[in-house]
Amino acid sequence: MDAQGRGRAEDVDPADQWVLNPDTGDYELRLPPSAPQSPIPAPRRASPAPADPEVPAPRRRRAAPEEPPPGRRGRRRPAKKKSRGKKILLWTGGTMAFVILAAGSAGYLYLQHLNDNIESLPDDGASTGGFQKDQAINILLIGTDKRTGSGNDGYGDKGSAGHADTTILLHVSKDRSNATALSIPRDLIVDVPDCPTAQEDGSTKVIPGSTGVRFNTSLGQSGRTPSCTMRTVTELTGVKPDNFMVADFNAVKTLTSAVGGVEVCLAKDIDDPDSHLKLPAGKHTVEGEEALAFVRTRHSVGFGGDLSRIEIQQQFLSSLMRKLKSNDTLTSPTKMVKLAEAGTKALTVDAKLDSIGKLKDLGLELGKLNTKNLTFATVPVKDNPAEKTPVTVVLKDGSAQQVFDMVKNDVSFTEVKKKEKQKQQKEDAAVAARLEGEKSEPGEVRVRVMNGGAPTGSAQEELAYLQTQAGVSKSENAGNAPADLAKTTLEYAPDQADQARALAEILGLSGAAMKPGESVTNSQGLPTMTLTLGKDFKGAGVKLDATSAKAPEDLQKSTADKVECAK
């Protein structure tokens, strides 16, 4: 309170500044002098909702300032369909990844004020140019380890330039039926490409790339910006992000406090002096400083490394998603406004997402997703064989590329019945039947491998995979095919159908790739099939038909609708 007993403008909760306009019958936002002064009317309603015995009907008063604000006695009950239909889901970076900015009844957001909160950076040509409403969406979410802000000095490296500490490639399918949040380990060894970066004076500086370095150095190191992380992800996965969002430690604290805390679960007691987390086993509601400690802990869970921390962060994000989509949050004007304030202040976005209007459009697309079809997964990796005591990881051959291709080809990591049914209806029955029937054991399969348009050396690489990992020992390299093919094919004689089906399952071939024909003889004079690698070949061990691929069995993944306790 000031000397005259009045509260300062900055101490006033925006949700408490709504008054009823007696001329229109709608609520309007009246901001303090320090905020934008254009009143933004609440959405008009064609007709009032049915009376609720627990919610008194609003009363009109001419003395507008005396009218109770929304969320208290006197609030009009919004029509359910409009509220659900217009909800806005904003997905932000790193550990606070997903934030709902407003529900349908929250059309009163004071837009200019929120726009001023948003900080943006150029994408330097590293993106696709921004998400499209009629296409699949790929958003790069980055949580940095930058220690700016009050109370963050005690977490790790105080002098960090803000590396890519937590990175998630969020893929939302074209039909919005499913999504994948793919975590990229910070200690993954990658090649960071050269990064053209816009300077304040309008010039462009090229930051030299690095070979064989940790992924987290793609941001912050040598002045690298989020556009460098974008380029690194593209080179690593083959997926070019549409947009990026970045957040630091304060985002976790402010956003969890805005929603009144997030429920988490521990399978054992944790006392981690490094992250400052001290909680007994069981379920807990964490917010603010404690929430940050939860997502930062790693030495007390799993194997004590970054991969274990990724699992606990994914649990946290799943819980946060459920909290944000709950009625407790969506129907609270106060929480909506606090989330809008916290979310826009916490974000650094690319220049294609530098306004509330653009974020709203993205949020409406993401809001179509059903939580149960959101899969959290981690890039398949293994210990770095170049280190005696591994502290970094490298991609796991085959599995990692398979995961990347599933994202690139818009393939769901969860079973979405609608898509499966539509696909089955389109398949030709005769072609699909080629995959049905008995299958030989891998050791009984005879095949020669030819290169028909794949990169040089592909036939030998695929042969090595078949012999050493797939158990197809009766295979050989037959050199180059007479002509290049767009698609990989497997030609076989009718009496080799059981072998063909077995090989198709191993390679991920569709029925259309299987070509009934004639067999040839191998170097031992025995009848054999012919596998011709086409231009669609993606690497040894990678499923050739990504649209029919399934996630690798060793893939670490979970769905956002399930509660899993950290072990």
Side-chain angles (χ1 to χ4, degrees):
M1 301 289 284
D2 59 21
Q4 297 180 356
R6 294 191 299 269
R8 294 173 300 174
E10 60 267 30
D11 293 333
V12 180
D13 187 337
D16 294 331
Q17 300 171 51
W18 289 87
V19 296
L20 183 69
N21 186 327
D23 296 324
T24 65
D26 287 317
Y27 288 106
E28 293 180 352
L29 180 65
R30 302 289 172 83
L31 300 176
S34 61
Q37 290 302 303
S38 300
I40 301 174
R44 294 185 63 88
R45 298 166 177 77
S47 60
D52 189 322
E54 297 183 2
V55 181
R59 293 175 294 172
R60 296 190 179 185
R61 296 183 181 179
R62 294 189 177 276
E66 299 298 324
E67 182 66 25
R72 301 183 180 179
R73 183 178 178 86
R75 184 186 70 174
R76 288 190 174 191
R77 186 184 180 99
K80 288 185 178 180
K81 288 187 177 180
K82 287 194 174 185
S83 177
R84 302 294 293 183
K86 293 184 180 180
K87 63 187 178 186
I88 301 170
L89 180 64
L90 171 62
W91 297 50
T92 65
T95 54
M96 57 78 158
F98 316 102
V99 179
I100 295 179
L101 276 187
S105 59
Y108 51 71
L109 292 177
Y110 39 114
L111 302 182
Q112 187 56 53
H113 174 62
L114 295 180
N115 283 335
D116 292 342
N117 285 347
I118 300 172
E119 181 180 351
S120 65
L121 291 172
D123 67 1
D124 299 314
S127 76
T128 62
F131 78 95
Q132 301 294 321
K133 294 182 179 180
D134 59 348
Q135 298 295 325
I137 298 174
N138 294 294
I139 307 294
L140 189 62
L141 310 168
I142 308 171
T144 76
D145 59 357
K146 198 168 185 178
R147 271 75 176 165
T148 56
S150 175
N152 293 327
D153 289 347
Y155 294 96
D157 179 12
K158 292 190 292 186
S160 174
H163 295 120
D165 197 49
T166 299
T167 305
I168 295 174
L169 178 61
L170 173 66
H171 172 81
V172 183
S173 67
K174 182 177 179 179
D175 64 5
R176 308 296 185 255
S177 68
N178 65 89
T180 302
L182 184 64
S183 293
I184 302 175
R186 67 173 189 175
D187 295 328
L188 174 64
I189 296 299
V190 298
D191 293 337
V192 178
D194 292 344
C195 298
T197 307
Q199 305 297 298
E200 291 184 1
D201 61 3
S203 64
T204 298
K205 174 184 177 181
V206 177
I207 301 175
S210 303
T211 302
V213 296
R214 297 188 190 208
F215 176 85
N216 69 339
T217 61
S218 66
L219 178 66
Q221 197 82 3
S222 304
R224 291 173 179 144
T225 66
S227 66
C228 293
T229 308
M230 264 190 163
R231 295 184 192 278
T232 304
V233 168
T234 300
E235 183 159 308
L236 174 69
T237 67
V239 179
K240 193 170 188 177
D242 300 309
N243 302 95
F244 68 73
M245 294 181 178
V246 184
D248 59 20
F249 284 178
N250 288 322
V252 180
K253 296 194 288 187
T254 58
L255 290 165
T256 52
S257 295
V259 296
V262 173
E263 186 180 89
V264 297
C265 183
L266 298 174
K268 62 181 180 180
D269 297 346
I270 287 185
D271 187 356
D272 186 351
D274 292 312
S275 72
H276 315 304
L277 181 67
K278 187 175 183 179
L279 287 174
K283 293 183 178 180
H284 306 274
T285 298
V286 297
E287 65 176 279
E289 199 74 36
E290 196 171 44
L292 179 58
F294 182 84
V295 298
R296 293 292 302 164
T297 192
R298 57 172 172 158
H299 299 300
S300 300
V301 293
F303 296 104
D306 186 51
L307 296 180
S308 296
R309 183 166 65 178
I310 286 176
E311 291 184 41
I312 205 170
Q313 288 174 346
Q314 290 175 347
Q315 180 210 141
F316 175 84
L317 295 176
S318 296
S319 182
L320 180 57
M321 264 293 286
R322 294 190 295 272
K323 182 63 176 287
L324 292 170
K325 292 177 76 73
S326 68
N327 288 333
D328 179 56
T329 301
L330 291 174
T331 59
S332 171
T334 300
K335 286 184 179 180
M336 289 292 94
V337 173
K338 287 181 178 179
L339 276 170
E341 291 284 350
T344 52
K345 288 178 180 178
L347 285 172
T348 297
V349 298
D350 68 86
K352 306 297 192 301
L353 287 177
D354 62 355
S355 72
I356 282 295
K358 296 173 183 177
L359 290 171
K360 178 207 69 174
D361 289 341
L362 174 60
L364 288 173
E365 293 302 310
L366 302 177
K368 299 173 182 178
L369 176 69
N370 189 325
T371 307
K372 70 179 182 179
N373 291 329
L374 167 61
T375 301
F376 286 95
T378 303
V379 173
V381 296
K382 61 183 180 181
D383 288 340
N384 189 349
E387 299 173 340
K388 291 184 179 179
T389 305
V391 293
T392 61
V393 293
V394 296
L395 293 179
K396 183 176 289 186
D397 298 334
S399 295
Q401 191 59 50
Q402 185 177 339
V403 168
F404 297 153
D405 285 330
M406 289 179 70
V407 174
K408 187 176 180 179
N409 291 285
D410 199 19
V411 179
S412 175
F413 284 70
T414 57
E415 293 185 5
V416 184
K417 294 181 180 180
K418 180 180 178 181
K419 288 187 67 175
E420 291 178 349
K421 182 178 179 180
Q422 291 174 343
K423 177 184 175 183
Q424 187 65 33
Q425 289 174 341
K426 293 178 181 179
E427 284 185 337
D428 180 83
V431 171
R434 295 172 188 170
L435 296 170
E436 300 174 359
E438 294 185 1
K439 300 180 181 67
S440 300
E441 293 297 322
E444 299 174 356
V445 174
R446 289 192 298 271
V447 63
R448 63 175 189 160
V449 184
M450 303 185 73
N451 191 331
T456 301
S458 294
Q460 186 59 39
E461 292 175 5
E462 184 72 348
L463 178 66
Y465 166 76
L466 289 173
Q467 291 181 342
T468 61
Q469 298 187 48
V472 184
S473 56
K474 298 176 182 178
S475 52
E476 62 183 32
N477 188 343
N480 293 326
D484 288 352
L485 300 176
K487 299 288 186 178
T488 296
T489 62
L490 175 63
E491 186 174 1
Y492 59 97
D495 61 352
Q496 296 171 319
D498 53 348
Q499 295 184 43
R501 285 190 287 267
L503 190 60
E505 183 176 59
I506 292 171
L507 301 180
L509 291 174
S510 66
M514 299 172 66
K515 304 295 182 183
E518 297 180 356
S519 66
V520 295
T521 55
N522 61 13
S523 57
Q524 285 77 42
L526 298 173
T528 185
M529 303 181 294
T530 300
L531 174 67
T532 304
L533 305 179
K535 295 179 180 179
D536 61 336
F537 180 74
K538 303 176 181 66
V542 180
K543 298 293 186 180
L544 288 161
D545 179 24
T547 59
S548 65
K550 294 182 180 180
E553 293 183 2
D554 58 352
L555 180 67
Q556 175 188 311
K557 66 186 183 77
S558 61
T559 52
D561 62 327
K562 297 179 181 178
V563 179
E564 296 187 13
C565 296
K567 300 179 181 179

